[in-house]
Amino acid sequence: MKLNICHLYPDLLDLYGDRGNILALAARCRWRGIEPVIQQASLGEELNFMEMDILFIGGGSDREQGLLVQDLMRREDQLRGAIENGLVVLSICGGYQMLGNYYQMANGEKIQGLGILDIKTIAGEKRLIGNVVVELDQYGLNYDPDDVRTMKASAHKLRTLVGFENHSGKTYLGEGVRPLGKVLFGHGNNGEDKDEGVRYRNVFGTYLHGPLLPKNPHLADLLLELAIQKRGWKTDLNELDDHLEVLAHEAMLHKLLKQA
Ligand code: GLN
């Protein structure tokens, strides 16, 4: 069995080590006998999102986001269609922002977004930087409250996400989307409404760098489960020994929430 994983703009949106998420997904595939087929694409390079199972877009500076916006706009229709068809997307920070309506930078200039997610981002006076703990709401790992698919990942013992944020953009959610959860430590989407991240169908956006997935194996496995479900495979993911990942996750919970 193979899963096609695409890393979009790895040369531009690579400022915070987010490629570690690709390494984590690939490892968790291999540990289960699934072959991860990793494809990269950047400016001007052709890509068929309909052939992808998981799309990853990392974070970067305002400058890089401005450089890629035209190329990204060119891909809007196909990406929108693939997302409506169940493409699994993990987008981090700048990559997350670009899926929304726009990103208004500190100088007032607006970078147009794809408008696939009803979110908007406006740069604040100060950068939101630091460790983050997010409490997943009871639906955080299931997009639709009525979603009766028994997601193993949603039954995972970890009910939080941990990571690191560094952004000037403050993101506000609109219609048809939901946050991943509530901030217990740190700022999250905007440092105001305690929301962090976004979920729309199989699309996940978050401000959490780290990289995110090594310390959040339950989210990594949810992305893989959703991709396998989309493929219609009659199999599910066997359990992995995540004791080291859980230890790292819980060390952050102890460090930060004891401080909080
Ligand atoms: N340039 C964007 C901001 O400052 C995104 C930063 C990032 O990707 N960490 O909000």
Side-chain angles (χ1 to χ4, degrees):
M1 294 191 291
K2 296 180 180 181
L3 279 179
N4 296 318
I5 302 173
C6 173
H7 189 177
L8 193 55
Y9 307 122
D11 53 339
L12 293 168
L13 296 181
D14 68 338
L15 201 49
Y16 299 88
D18 294 324
R19 66 181 293 274
N21 293 307
I22 295 276
L23 302 179
L25 286 172
R28 296 184 78 82
C29 281
R30 288 194 191 96
W31 292 335
R32 291 159 164 133
I34 299 171
E35 181 189 346
V37 180
I38 312 294
Q39 181 178 347
Q40 297 185 343
S42 191
L43 301 182
E45 294 173 343
E46 282 317 304
L47 174 69
N48 183 349
F49 291 115
M50 295 304 277
E51 292 170 359
M52 295 299 135
D53 298 299
I54 298 175
L55 170 68
F56 175 72
I57 319 175
S61 74
D62 292 3
R63 177 181 171 279
E64 271 72 22
Q65 287 172 257
L67 288 177
L68 62 85
V69 63
Q70 289 314 317
D71 183 86
L72 187 61
M73 290 303 119
R74 197 169 54 76
R75 303 176 192 268
E76 180 200 338
D77 288 347
Q78 198 201 94
L79 178 53
R80 186 186 295 274
I83 285 172
E84 293 308 315
N85 187 47
L87 173 67
V88 176
V89 180
L90 176 62
S91 56
I92 310 283
C93 205
Y96 163 28
Q97 294 169 345
M98 301 298 282
L99 296 179
N101 298 321
Y102 62 83
Y103 168 36
Q104 181 175 301
M105 298 186 287
N107 64 8
E109 192 187 327
K110 271 189 185 179
I111 300 180
Q112 185 192 353
L114 287 171
I116 293 174
L117 301 181
D118 183 11
I119 63 173
K120 65 181 181 182
T121 301
I122 299 165
E125 297 287 308
K126 69 180 178 61
R127 292 193 72 80
L128 304 180
I129 300 175
N131 286 303
V132 186
V133 177
V134 180
E135 184 176 50
L136 296 172
D137 70 21
Q138 70 271 42
Y139 305 119
L141 286 176
N142 272 344
Y143 168 60
D144 174 355
D146 302 325
D147 185 337
V148 293
R149 290 175 298 173
T150 48
M151 289 289 171
K152 264 194 196 160
S154 296
H156 197 284
K157 64 175 289 198
L158 294 177
R159 304 305 303 152
T160 45
L161 295 174
V162 296
F164 186 85
E165 64 186 328
N166 181 341
H167 52 108
S168 63
K170 299 195 293 183
T171 295
Y172 302 89
L173 305 190
E175 299 300 317
V177 294
R178 36 181 316 105
L180 291 182
K182 286 293 178 192
V183 173
L184 296 180
F185 186 95
H187 305 285
N189 280 342
N190 49 49
E192 296 159 11
D193 58 20
K194 290 289 183 197
D195 281 350
E196 162 46 28
V198 74
R199 177 78 194 273
Y200 169 70
R201 298 176 68 86
N202 286 347
V203 178
F204 296 74
T206 178
Y207 276 108
L208 299 191
H209 300 289
L212 172 68
L213 296 181
K215 282 205 279 286
N216 297 285
H218 48 319
L219 180 56
D221 279 356
L222 177 65
L223 300 176
L224 295 177
E225 276 187 291
L226 291 169
I228 286 169
Q229 286 208 359
K230 172 181 168 287
R231 278 291 192 101
W233 289 349
K234 297 287 173 266
T235 176
D236 60 13
L237 295 174
N238 55 306
E239 297 294 314
L240 293 176
D241 172 3
D242 280 340
H243 80 278
L244 290 177
E245 291 85 346
V246 171
L247 212 56
H249 185 107
E250 291 178 340
M252 290 311 289
L253 295 184
H254 179 70
K255 176 174 185 278
L256 301 174
L257 299 187
K258 193 169 67 66
Q259 283 172 358

